[in-house]
Structures are given as C-alpha cells and as structure tokens.
Amino acid sequence: NINGWNTIQTILKRTKKNQSYLAEKLGMTPAAITQIKNGEYRLREFRFQKICEVLGATKKEKKELLTEVVNARFFGRKEIEIR
C-alpha cells in the first residue's frame, strides 16, 4: 500500500488512536478514511498536513508519509513544506 496508509497506521498505533478518532478529528466520515486506506481518496496537501497535525506526527514520520504519498503521485507537485 503506497498511498501513505502504512505510515498513518504506524502513527495511529504509536499514539494509540484509531481510524474513528482520525475521521472525527479530520471532519471526515469513517468511510472516507477507508477510502484513504484503500488508495481511493486523493490525498491533498491540506489533508496531509492535517493528518500529521491531528496525529502529532514526528518530522521523520511526516517525511515517510510524504515519500509514500509522492511515490503514489497523489500530489500535483513533489515539494511540500513539512512543518
């Protein structure tokens, strides 16, 4: 799964959070989170940044997630500022 879900799942486990928590904090439905998981949802920069913020991703995790997402070509550009 190269859409970023592997890293998201790792962060969820580390923070002891689940998909329902993520959906609630992102203002998304659990079904939309499943679409991200399955690679059916085009993850945009805003959502990427919000996921990292909500889950408290470390800089290393952000880079790993960004690499997965860029490799899957979910962004229209390859350079995204990691905050």
Side-chain angles (χ1 to χ4, degrees), residues 9-19 21 55:
Q9 190 169 25
T10 298
I11 299 168
L12 285 169
K13 285 180 184 178
R14 178 182 61 75
T15 59
K16 296 180 176 42
K17 306 281 193 270
N18 59 34
Q19 289 179 225
Y21 171 87
L55 294 179

Side-chain angles (χ1 to χ4, degrees), residues 51-77:
I51 288 170
C52 290
E53 177 187 322
V54 164
L55 294 179
T58 64
K59 193 162 189 164
K60 180 182 178 205
E61 290 167 335
K62 289 177 187 180
K63 286 183 179 183
E64 289 171 3
L65 178 56
L66 178 61
T67 298
E68 286 182 37
V69 172
V70 168
N71 285 342
R73 297 189 178 147
F74 282 109
F75 288 115
R77 61 179 194 246

Side-chain angles (χ1 to χ4, degrees), residues 18-82:
N18 59 34
Q19 289 179 225
S20 297
Y21 171 87
L22 184 60
E24 179 184 331
K25 293 296 182 183
L26 294 176
M28 300 176 77
T29 65
I33 299 299
T34 299
Q35 288 178 324
I36 292 172
K37 181 178 179 178
N38 294 335
E40 300 165 1
Y41 181 91
R42 186 177 170 118
L43 193 58
R44 304 240 187 242
E45 180 178 358
F46 167 78
R47 195 68 66 194
F48 166 83
Q49 296 289 0
K50 191 69 176 170
I51 288 170
C52 290
E53 177 187 322
V54 164
L55 294 179
T58 64
K59 193 162 189 164
K60 180 182 178 205
E61 290 167 335
K62 289 177 187 180
K63 286 183 179 183
E64 289 171 3
L65 178 56
L66 178 61
T67 298
E68 286 182 37
V69 172
V70 168
N71 285 342
R73 297 189 178 147
F74 282 109
F75 288 115
R77 61 179 194 246
K78 292 190 176 183
E79 292 183 26
I80 295 173
E81 178 184 351
I82 297 177

